Amino acid sequence: MLFGVLAGAAVVLVMNLLLLGLVEAAGAELQTRDVGDAFEKAGEVAIYAGERLRAAATGEELPEPPTIQADQTAIALGLATTLALNVVLVGVVAAVTRQRTGELASRLGLRGFDPLGLWRPMLAVVGCYAMVVGYAAIVDALDIGVLQPESTVPFEVMREQLTVVLTGVAVVAVAPLAEEVFYRGLLFGGLQRWGFWPAALISGVVFSGVHLDPGSLIPFFIIGVVLAWLFWRRGNLWESVAFHVIFNAVSFSLLLATEA
């Protein structure tokens, strides 16, 4: 199991290095977020205008304009790399457990799907969304900006149809299954010999940490524990996958509606 986690970390590192190479080869800039808010953008433009006027007056070479908006090529490459990463993570689990895809699916309870059990993950999604909203309200009231949860999917993906489609496929279709197989199937499953709570807490910490958002650490940790419970309760990964799909689909739909 430890080897599997290390292999997964190595895959993430290699994929990030690959992304850097692809971005450079495409002549893009690795900027997947806009520069700050409207005031920061205006400040960047004002600085550039001043430098350009000064260069024109002194006969110097004109400066390059600042990159204010996210590079759509870099975003598309990043999303494509994320899709590939999720596929490779499932391969890592299969390699570590030394099982074929069919055998792994049977072990994780992915052979049969009971639609009548969907009420559990749906109810859990409602509860977790209420938790996130409550957590955000408390953090906002305490004025702890660094802990304010933000969407891990940048709104900048909404600017082009290709990145919208890639985001939808990655967030709603591919990531839920791949991440559940890795974080719940391999990590939580491998730690269960220590008991439910140690396994759920450790896998929740790892799941939360990989999202690289300080504001999401606490809520995503709680969500990770809930996902572990859904898997542990019936020994069937479908319910945690269903939770992940529904949660991500709602989040993606809200992003679409907000940026439409």
Side-chain angles (χ1 to χ4, degrees):
M1 189 274 296
L2 178 60
F3 174 74
V5 174
L6 293 176
V11 167
V12 172
L13 177 60
V14 170
M15 287 297 187
N16 283 330
L17 292 175
L18 176 62
L19 173 60
L20 289 172
L22 291 173
V23 169
E24 184 176 351
E29 295 188 32
L30 193 61
Q31 181 169 323
T32 56
R33 294 273 189 174
D34 288 356
V35 173
D37 57 20
F39 294 103
E40 290 182 72
K41 290 184 177 70
E44 290 286 335
V45 172
I47 292 172
Y48 168 68
E51 292 176 347
R52 186 177 176 88
L53 288 172
R54 183 169 57 254
T58 59
E60 298 175 3
E61 184 178 352
L62 296 179
E64 291 291 327
T67 303
I68 294 176
Q69 290 193 322
D71 191 304
Q72 291 297 309
T73 300
I75 291 178
L77 289 172
L79 290 167
T81 304
T82 299
L83 286 168
L85 169 63
N86 283 307
V87 173
V88 174
L89 281 179
V90 175
V92 167
V93 177
V96 169
T97 57
R98 299 178 182 179
Q99 293 182 326
R100 298 179 182 275
T101 304
E103 295 171 338
L104 182 62
S106 296
R107 179 180 177 182
L108 297 176
L110 290 172
R111 282 297 194 183
F113 175 66
D114 179 16
L116 296 178
L118 274 176
W119 68 269
R120 279 182 293 267
M122 291 178 68
L123 185 61
V125 167
V126 173
C128 284
Y129 253 103
M131 176 272 297
V132 172
V133 171
Y135 171 80
I138 292 172
V139 169
D140 185 58
L142 296 175
D143 196 24
I144 310 176
V146 69
L147 292 182
Q148 188 66 37
E150 295 183 4
S151 172
T152 54
V153 178
F155 71 86
E156 290 85 352
V157 301
M158 296 293 113
R159 290 184 179 141
E160 289 190 5
Q161 186 174 3
L162 174 61
T163 53
V164 172
V165 172
L166 286 174
T167 301
V169 172
V171 170
V172 180
V174 178
L177 178 59
E179 290 185 3
E180 290 312 305
V181 168
F182 187 82
Y183 294 107
R184 253 59 63 182
L186 177 66
L187 184 54
F188 170 76
L191 293 171
Q192 277 196 83
R193 65 174 68 94
W194 295 350
F196 170 78
W197 282 110
L201 295 176
I202 293 173
S203 61
V205 167
V206 176
F207 174 71
S208 174
V210 297
H211 287 85
L212 302 177
D213 174 34
S216 298
L217 285 175
I218 294 176
F220 276 19
F221 164 71
I222 296 172
I223 288 172
V225 173
V226 171
L227 286 165
W229 179 82
L230 286 170
F231 176 41
W232 169 81
R233 185 180 181 279
R234 298 177 65 83
N236 186 319
L237 201 63
W238 273 127
E239 290 195 9
S240 60
V241 171
F243 175 103
H244 213 140
V245 169
I246 297 167
F247 190 93
N248 285 9
V250 171
S251 300
F252 184 59
S253 299
L254 291 174
L255 183 61
L256 283 173
T258 301
E259 300 300 324

